[in-house]
Short mmCIF file of all heavy atoms in Angstrom, two decimals:
data_model
loop_
_atom_site.label_atom_id
_atom_site.label_comp_id
_atom_site.label_asym_id
_atom_site.label_seq_id
_atom_site.Cartn_x
_atom_site.Cartn_y
_atom_site.Cartn_z
N GLU A 217 -3.88 -2.19 38.37
CA GLU A 217 -4.88 -1.13 38.28
C GLU A 217 -5.42 -0.87 39.68
O GLU A 217 -5.96 -1.79 40.30
CB GLU A 217 -6.03 -1.51 37.34
CG GLU A 217 -5.74 -1.35 35.87
CD GLU A 217 -5.63 0.11 35.44
OE1 GLU A 217 -6.01 0.99 36.23
OE2 GLU A 217 -5.13 0.35 34.33
N PRO A 218 -5.26 0.34 40.20
CA PRO A 218 -5.71 0.59 41.57
C PRO A 218 -7.21 0.50 41.75
O PRO A 218 -7.69 0.36 42.87
CB PRO A 218 -5.21 2.02 41.84
CG PRO A 218 -5.06 2.64 40.50
CD PRO A 218 -4.64 1.53 39.58
N LEU A 219 -7.96 0.56 40.65
CA LEU A 219 -9.42 0.54 40.75
C LEU A 219 -10.00 -0.77 40.23
O LEU A 219 -10.94 -0.79 39.45
CB LEU A 219 -10.02 1.74 40.01
CG LEU A 219 -9.61 3.10 40.57
CD1 LEU A 219 -10.22 4.22 39.77
CD2 LEU A 219 -10.01 3.22 42.03
N GLY A 220 -9.43 -1.86 40.66
CA GLY A 220 -10.08 -3.14 40.51
C GLY A 220 -9.66 -3.99 39.35
O GLY A 220 -8.95 -3.57 38.44
N GLY A 221 -10.15 -5.24 39.39
CA GLY A 221 -9.91 -6.20 38.34
C GLY A 221 -9.50 -7.57 38.86
O GLY A 221 -9.98 -8.59 38.37
N ASP A 222 -8.60 -7.61 39.84
CA ASP A 222 -8.07 -8.89 40.31
C ASP A 222 -9.14 -9.75 40.98
O ASP A 222 -9.24 -10.96 40.71
CB ASP A 222 -6.92 -8.66 41.28
CG ASP A 222 -5.68 -8.12 40.59
OD1 ASP A 222 -5.60 -8.25 39.37
OD2 ASP A 222 -4.81 -7.54 41.28
N GLU A 223 -9.95 -9.16 41.86
CA GLU A 223 -10.98 -9.93 42.55
C GLU A 223 -12.03 -10.46 41.56
O GLU A 223 -12.49 -11.60 41.67
CB GLU A 223 -11.66 -9.07 43.62
CG GLU A 223 -10.73 -8.58 44.72
CD GLU A 223 -10.22 -9.70 45.60
OE1 GLU A 223 -10.95 -10.69 45.81
OE2 GLU A 223 -9.07 -9.61 46.08
N ALA A 224 -12.39 -9.62 40.59
CA ALA A 224 -13.37 -10.04 39.59
C ALA A 224 -12.84 -11.19 38.74
O ALA A 224 -13.58 -12.14 38.41
CB ALA A 224 -13.76 -8.86 38.70
N ARG A 225 -11.55 -11.13 38.36
CA ARG A 225 -10.97 -12.22 37.56
C ARG A 225 -10.97 -13.53 38.34
O ARG A 225 -11.26 -14.59 37.79
CB ARG A 225 -9.55 -11.84 37.13
CG ARG A 225 -9.50 -10.92 35.92
CD ARG A 225 -8.09 -10.85 35.36
NE ARG A 225 -7.19 -10.13 36.26
CZ ARG A 225 -6.96 -8.83 36.19
NH1 ARG A 225 -7.58 -8.10 35.28
NH2 ARG A 225 -6.13 -8.24 37.03
N THR A 226 -10.63 -13.44 39.63
CA THR A 226 -10.63 -14.66 40.45
C THR A 226 -12.02 -15.27 40.53
O THR A 226 -12.19 -16.49 40.40
CB THR A 226 -10.12 -14.33 41.86
OG1 THR A 226 -8.79 -13.81 41.79
CG2 THR A 226 -10.13 -15.56 42.75
N ALA A 227 -13.05 -14.42 40.72
CA ALA A 227 -14.43 -14.91 40.81
C ALA A 227 -14.90 -15.49 39.49
O ALA A 227 -15.59 -16.52 39.46
CB ALA A 227 -15.34 -13.76 41.24
N ASN A 228 -14.55 -14.85 38.38
CA ASN A 228 -14.96 -15.35 37.07
C ASN A 228 -14.32 -16.71 36.76
O ASN A 228 -14.96 -17.61 36.23
CB ASN A 228 -14.59 -14.35 35.98
CG ASN A 228 -15.61 -13.24 35.83
OD1 ASN A 228 -16.79 -13.49 35.58
ND2 ASN A 228 -15.18 -12.00 35.98
N GLU A 229 -13.03 -16.84 37.08
CA GLU A 229 -12.33 -18.10 36.82
C GLU A 229 -12.91 -19.24 37.66
O GLU A 229 -13.06 -20.37 37.17
CB GLU A 229 -10.84 -17.94 37.09
CG GLU A 229 -10.13 -17.07 36.06
CD GLU A 229 -8.65 -16.93 36.36
OE1 GLU A 229 -8.18 -17.51 37.36
OE2 GLU A 229 -7.95 -16.23 35.61
N ALA A 230 -13.23 -18.95 38.90
CA ALA A 230 -13.82 -19.99 39.75
C ALA A 230 -15.22 -20.37 39.28
O ALA A 230 -15.60 -21.54 39.31
CB ALA A 230 -13.87 -19.51 41.21
N SER A 231 -15.99 -19.40 38.82
CA SER A 231 -17.39 -19.63 38.46
C SER A 231 -17.55 -20.26 37.08
O SER A 231 -18.41 -21.13 36.89
CB SER A 231 -18.17 -18.31 38.51
OG SER A 231 -18.09 -17.73 39.79
N PHE A 232 -16.74 -19.81 36.11
CA PHE A 232 -16.97 -20.21 34.72
C PHE A 232 -15.74 -20.81 34.04
O PHE A 232 -15.83 -21.21 32.88
CB PHE A 232 -17.45 -19.00 33.91
CG PHE A 232 -18.58 -18.25 34.56
CD1 PHE A 232 -18.39 -16.96 35.04
CD2 PHE A 232 -19.82 -18.85 34.73
CE1 PHE A 232 -19.43 -16.26 35.64
CE2 PHE A 232 -20.86 -18.17 35.33
CZ PHE A 232 -20.66 -16.86 35.80
N GLY A 233 -14.62 -20.85 34.71
CA GLY A 233 -13.41 -21.39 34.11
C GLY A 233 -12.52 -20.29 33.58
O GLY A 233 -12.96 -19.15 33.35
N ALA A 234 -11.25 -20.61 33.37
CA ALA A 234 -10.28 -19.63 32.88
C ALA A 234 -10.65 -19.17 31.48
O ALA A 234 -11.10 -19.95 30.63
CB ALA A 234 -8.88 -20.23 32.89
N GLY A 235 -10.46 -17.88 31.24
CA GLY A 235 -10.70 -17.34 29.91
C GLY A 235 -12.11 -16.86 29.66
O GLY A 235 -12.44 -16.52 28.52
N PHE A 236 -12.96 -16.83 30.70
CA PHE A 236 -14.33 -16.36 30.53
C PHE A 236 -14.64 -15.24 31.52
O PHE A 236 -14.13 -15.22 32.64
CB PHE A 236 -15.33 -17.50 30.72
CG PHE A 236 -15.34 -18.49 29.60
CD1 PHE A 236 -14.57 -19.64 29.67
CD2 PHE A 236 -16.11 -18.27 28.46
CE1 PHE A 236 -14.57 -20.56 28.64
CE2 PHE A 236 -16.11 -19.18 27.42
CZ PHE A 236 -15.34 -20.32 27.50
N ARG A 237 -15.52 -14.36 31.06
CA ARG A 237 -15.93 -13.23 31.88
C ARG A 237 -17.43 -13.03 31.74
O ARG A 237 -17.98 -13.17 30.65
CB ARG A 237 -15.19 -11.97 31.43
CG ARG A 237 -15.59 -10.69 32.14
CD ARG A 237 -14.91 -9.49 31.50
NE ARG A 237 -15.39 -8.24 32.05
CZ ARG A 237 -15.20 -7.05 31.47
NH1 ARG A 237 -14.53 -6.97 30.33
NH2 ARG A 237 -15.66 -5.95 32.02
N ALA A 238 -18.11 -12.72 32.83
CA ALA A 238 -19.55 -12.49 32.82
C ALA A 238 -19.84 -11.01 32.58
O ALA A 238 -19.30 -10.15 33.27
CB ALA A 238 -20.17 -12.94 34.13
N ILE A 239 -20.67 -10.71 31.59
CA ILE A 239 -21.02 -9.34 31.22
C ILE A 239 -22.52 -9.14 31.41
O ILE A 239 -23.33 -9.86 30.80
CB ILE A 239 -20.64 -9.04 29.76
CG1 ILE A 239 -19.18 -9.37 29.49
CG2 ILE A 239 -20.96 -7.59 29.41
CD1 ILE A 239 -18.21 -8.50 30.25
N PRO A 240 -22.96 -8.19 32.23
CA PRO A 240 -24.40 -7.97 32.40
C PRO A 240 -25.02 -7.34 31.17
O PRO A 240 -24.42 -6.50 30.51
CB PRO A 240 -24.47 -7.03 33.60
CG PRO A 240 -23.15 -6.32 33.61
CD PRO A 240 -22.15 -7.30 33.08
N ASN A 241 -26.23 -7.76 30.86
CA ASN A 241 -27.01 -7.19 29.76
C ASN A 241 -28.27 -6.58 30.37
O ASN A 241 -29.35 -7.19 30.37
CB ASN A 241 -27.35 -8.27 28.74
CG ASN A 241 -28.04 -7.72 27.51
OD1 ASN A 241 -28.24 -6.51 27.38
ND2 ASN A 241 -28.42 -8.59 26.59
N VAL A 242 -28.12 -5.37 30.92
CA VAL A 242 -29.20 -4.77 31.70
C VAL A 242 -30.39 -4.36 30.84
O VAL A 242 -31.49 -4.14 31.36
CB VAL A 242 -28.69 -3.56 32.50
CG1 VAL A 242 -27.66 -3.98 33.51
CG2 VAL A 242 -28.11 -2.49 31.58
N GLU A 243 -30.20 -4.26 29.52
CA GLU A 243 -31.32 -3.87 28.67
C GLU A 243 -32.43 -4.93 28.69
O GLU A 243 -33.60 -4.61 28.52
CB GLU A 243 -30.82 -3.66 27.24
CG GLU A 243 -31.89 -3.12 26.30
CD GLU A 243 -31.35 -2.79 24.92
OE1 GLU A 243 -30.12 -2.86 24.73
OE2 GLU A 243 -32.16 -2.47 24.04
N LYS A 244 -32.07 -6.18 28.93
CA LYS A 244 -33.05 -7.26 28.95
C LYS A 244 -33.59 -7.53 30.35
O LYS A 244 -34.42 -8.43 30.54
CB LYS A 244 -32.44 -8.53 28.38
CG LYS A 244 -32.12 -8.45 26.90
CD LYS A 244 -31.62 -9.80 26.38
CE LYS A 244 -31.35 -9.74 24.88
NZ LYS A 244 -30.88 -11.05 24.36
N ALA A 245 -33.13 -6.78 31.34
CA ALA A 245 -33.50 -7.05 32.73
C ALA A 245 -34.74 -6.26 33.14
O ALA A 245 -34.80 -5.05 32.96
CB ALA A 245 -32.33 -6.72 33.65
N ASP A 246 -35.70 -6.96 33.71
CA ASP A 246 -36.88 -6.31 34.28
C ASP A 246 -36.64 -5.90 35.73
O ASP A 246 -37.26 -4.96 36.22
CB ASP A 246 -38.09 -7.24 34.21
CG ASP A 246 -38.53 -7.54 32.78
OD1 ASP A 246 -38.25 -6.70 31.89
OD2 ASP A 246 -39.12 -8.61 32.54
N ALA A 247 -35.76 -6.62 36.41
CA ALA A 247 -35.41 -6.31 37.79
C ALA A 247 -33.90 -6.38 37.94
O ALA A 247 -33.27 -7.35 37.51
CB ALA A 247 -36.09 -7.27 38.76
N ILE A 248 -33.33 -5.34 38.56
CA ILE A 248 -31.87 -5.24 38.74
C ILE A 248 -31.59 -4.95 40.21
O ILE A 248 -32.21 -4.05 40.79
CB ILE A 248 -31.27 -4.13 37.87
CG1 ILE A 248 -31.65 -4.30 36.41
CG2 ILE A 248 -29.76 -4.05 38.03
CD1 ILE A 248 -31.36 -3.09 35.55
N LEU A 249 -30.67 -5.71 40.79
CA LEU A 249 -30.23 -5.43 42.15
C LEU A 249 -28.72 -5.25 42.13
O LEU A 249 -28.00 -6.10 41.60
CB LEU A 249 -30.62 -6.56 43.11
CG LEU A 249 -30.37 -6.29 44.59
CD1 LEU A 249 -31.43 -6.97 45.46
CD2 LEU A 249 -28.99 -6.80 45.03
N THR A 250 -28.24 -4.15 42.68
CA THR A 250 -26.81 -3.88 42.70
C THR A 250 -26.29 -3.94 44.13
O THR A 250 -26.94 -3.46 45.06
CB THR A 250 -26.47 -2.51 42.10
OG1 THR A 250 -26.93 -1.47 42.98
CG2 THR A 250 -27.12 -2.32 40.75
N LEU A 251 -25.13 -4.54 44.29
CA LEU A 251 -24.46 -4.64 45.57
C LEU A 251 -23.14 -3.89 45.48
O LEU A 251 -22.18 -4.39 44.88
CB LEU A 251 -24.22 -6.12 45.94
CG LEU A 251 -25.47 -7.00 46.06
CD1 LEU A 251 -25.08 -8.46 46.19
CD2 LEU A 251 -26.33 -6.57 47.23
N ASP A 252 -23.10 -2.68 46.02
CA ASP A 252 -21.88 -1.87 46.01
C ASP A 252 -21.36 -1.70 44.58
O ASP A 252 -20.17 -1.83 44.32
CB ASP A 252 -20.81 -2.50 46.90
CG ASP A 252 -19.64 -1.56 47.17
OD1 ASP A 252 -19.83 -0.33 47.07
OD2 ASP A 252 -18.53 -2.05 47.45
N CYS A 253 -22.27 -1.43 43.65
CA CYS A 253 -21.90 -1.34 42.23
C CYS A 253 -22.56 -0.10 41.63
O CYS A 253 -23.76 -0.08 41.37
CB CYS A 253 -22.35 -2.59 41.49
SG CYS A 253 -21.96 -2.56 39.73
N ASP A 254 -21.75 0.93 41.39
CA ASP A 254 -22.25 2.18 40.81
C ASP A 254 -22.16 2.09 39.29
O ASP A 254 -21.38 2.79 38.64
CB ASP A 254 -21.42 3.35 41.35
CG ASP A 254 -21.96 4.71 40.90
OD1 ASP A 254 -23.12 4.77 40.47
OD2 ASP A 254 -21.20 5.70 40.96
N PHE A 255 -22.99 1.23 38.67
CA PHE A 255 -22.85 0.97 37.25
C PHE A 255 -23.42 2.09 36.38
O PHE A 255 -23.23 2.08 35.16
CB PHE A 255 -23.53 -0.37 36.88
CG PHE A 255 -25.03 -0.30 36.76
CD1 PHE A 255 -25.63 -0.24 35.52
CD2 PHE A 255 -25.84 -0.32 37.89
CE1 PHE A 255 -27.01 -0.19 35.40
CE2 PHE A 255 -27.21 -0.27 37.79
CZ PHE A 255 -27.81 -0.20 36.54
N LEU A 256 -24.08 3.08 36.99
CA LEU A 256 -24.56 4.23 36.23
C LEU A 256 -23.68 5.46 36.45
O LEU A 256 -23.89 6.49 35.82
CB LEU A 256 -26.00 4.58 36.64
CG LEU A 256 -27.05 3.52 36.33
CD1 LEU A 256 -28.42 3.97 36.83
CD2 LEU A 256 -27.10 3.22 34.84
N GLY A 257 -22.70 5.35 37.33
CA GLY A 257 -21.80 6.46 37.60
C GLY A 257 -20.43 6.19 37.05
O GLY A 257 -20.19 5.22 36.30
N PHE A 258 -19.50 7.04 37.45
CA PHE A 258 -18.14 6.90 36.94
C PHE A 258 -17.47 5.64 37.45
O PHE A 258 -16.64 5.03 36.78
CB PHE A 258 -17.30 8.12 37.34
CG PHE A 258 -15.83 7.89 37.21
CD1 PHE A 258 -15.23 7.86 35.96
CD2 PHE A 258 -15.03 7.65 38.33
CE1 PHE A 258 -13.87 7.62 35.83
CE2 PHE A 258 -13.69 7.42 38.20
CZ PHE A 258 -13.11 7.41 36.95
N ASP A 259 -17.84 5.21 38.64
CA ASP A 259 -17.15 4.11 39.30
C ASP A 259 -16.99 2.90 38.39
O ASP A 259 -15.89 2.41 38.16
CB ASP A 259 -17.93 3.73 40.56
CG ASP A 259 -17.09 2.94 41.55
OD1 ASP A 259 -16.02 2.47 41.15
OD2 ASP A 259 -17.50 2.79 42.71
N GLU A 260 -18.09 2.39 37.87
CA GLU A 260 -18.04 1.19 37.04
C GLU A 260 -18.89 1.32 35.78
O GLU A 260 -19.08 0.35 35.06
CB GLU A 260 -18.49 -0.02 37.85
CG GLU A 260 -17.60 -0.34 39.02
CD GLU A 260 -18.01 -1.62 39.72
OE1 GLU A 260 -17.77 -2.70 39.17
OE2 GLU A 260 -18.55 -1.52 40.82
N GLY A 261 -19.41 2.49 35.53
CA GLY A 261 -20.31 2.66 34.40
C GLY A 261 -19.61 2.80 33.07
O GLY A 261 -18.48 3.27 32.99
N THR A 262 -20.28 2.36 32.02
CA THR A 262 -19.84 2.59 30.65
C THR A 262 -20.97 3.27 29.91
O THR A 262 -22.15 3.15 30.28
CB THR A 262 -19.48 1.28 29.94
OG1 THR A 262 -20.65 0.45 29.84
CG2 THR A 262 -18.40 0.52 30.71
N LEU A 263 -20.63 3.99 28.86
CA LEU A 263 -21.67 4.66 28.07
C LEU A 263 -22.66 3.66 27.51
O LEU A 263 -23.87 3.91 27.47
CB LEU A 263 -21.02 5.45 26.93
CG LEU A 263 -20.13 6.64 27.33
CD1 LEU A 263 -19.43 7.20 26.11
CD2 LEU A 263 -20.96 7.71 28.00
N GLU A 264 -22.16 2.51 27.11
CA GLU A 264 -23.02 1.47 26.56
C GLU A 264 -24.00 0.95 27.60
O GLU A 264 -25.20 0.78 27.34
CB GLU A 264 -22.14 0.33 26.03
CG GLU A 264 -22.87 -0.71 25.24
CD GLU A 264 -21.93 -1.79 24.71
OE1 GLU A 264 -20.83 -1.93 25.28
OE2 GLU A 264 -22.29 -2.47 23.74
N GLY A 265 -23.51 0.71 28.83
CA GLY A 265 -24.37 0.20 29.88
C GLY A 265 -25.40 1.22 30.35
O GLY A 265 -26.54 0.88 30.64
N ILE A 266 -24.98 2.49 30.44
CA ILE A 266 -25.91 3.55 30.85
C ILE A 266 -27.03 3.70 29.83
O ILE A 266 -28.20 3.86 30.19
CB ILE A 266 -25.15 4.87 31.03
CG1 ILE A 266 -24.17 4.76 32.20
CG2 ILE A 266 -26.10 6.04 31.26
CD1 ILE A 266 -23.21 5.93 32.32
N ARG A 267 -26.68 3.64 28.54
CA ARG A 267 -27.70 3.77 27.50
C ARG A 267 -28.66 2.58 27.53
O ARG A 267 -29.88 2.73 27.37
CB ARG A 267 -27.05 3.86 26.13
CG ARG A 267 -28.03 4.10 24.98
CD ARG A 267 -27.37 4.14 23.64
NE ARG A 267 -26.36 5.17 23.57
CZ ARG A 267 -25.05 4.93 23.57
NH1 ARG A 267 -24.61 3.68 23.61
NH2 ARG A 267 -24.18 5.90 23.52
N ALA A 268 -28.12 1.37 27.77
CA ALA A 268 -28.96 0.18 27.81
C ALA A 268 -29.95 0.25 28.97
O ALA A 268 -31.13 -0.11 28.81
CB ALA A 268 -28.08 -1.07 27.95
N PHE A 269 -29.50 0.73 30.13
CA PHE A 269 -30.40 0.88 31.26
C PHE A 269 -31.47 1.93 30.98
O PHE A 269 -32.65 1.75 31.29
CB PHE A 269 -29.61 1.26 32.51
CG PHE A 269 -30.46 1.60 33.71
CD1 PHE A 269 -30.98 0.59 34.50
CD2 PHE A 269 -30.74 2.92 34.04
CE1 PHE A 269 -31.77 0.89 35.61
CE2 PHE A 269 -31.52 3.23 35.14
CZ PHE A 269 -32.04 2.21 35.92
N SER A 270 -31.06 3.05 30.38
CA SER A 270 -31.99 4.16 30.15
C SER A 270 -33.10 3.79 29.18
O SER A 270 -34.21 4.35 29.26
CB SER A 270 -31.21 5.37 29.62
OG SER A 270 -30.21 5.77 30.53
N LYS A 271 -32.83 2.87 28.27
CA LYS A 271 -33.87 2.46 27.32
C LYS A 271 -35.08 1.86 28.01
O LYS A 271 -36.20 1.92 27.48
CB LYS A 271 -33.29 1.44 26.32
CG LYS A 271 -32.35 2.03 25.29
CD LYS A 271 -31.86 0.94 24.36
CE LYS A 271 -30.91 1.51 23.30
NZ LYS A 271 -30.38 0.45 22.40
#
Side-chain angles (χ1 to χ4, degrees):
E217 280 291 347
L219 298 179
D222 290 342
E223 298 292 328
R225 280 193 290 268
T226 300
N228 277 302
E229 289 180 1
S231 302
F232 311 113
F236 288 94
R237 176 187 173 196
I239 306 295
N241 186 2
V242 296
E243 186 175 353
K244 293 185 178 181
D246 294 334
I248 306 167
L249 188 146
T250 70
L251 300 171
D252 192 24
C253 179
D254 185 18
F255 79 101
L256 296 178
F258 164 74
D259 199 346
E260 297 185 74
T262 63
L263 294 173
E264 189 178 21
I266 294 171
R267 184 182 302 107
F269 173 82
S270 301
K271 287 181 180 179

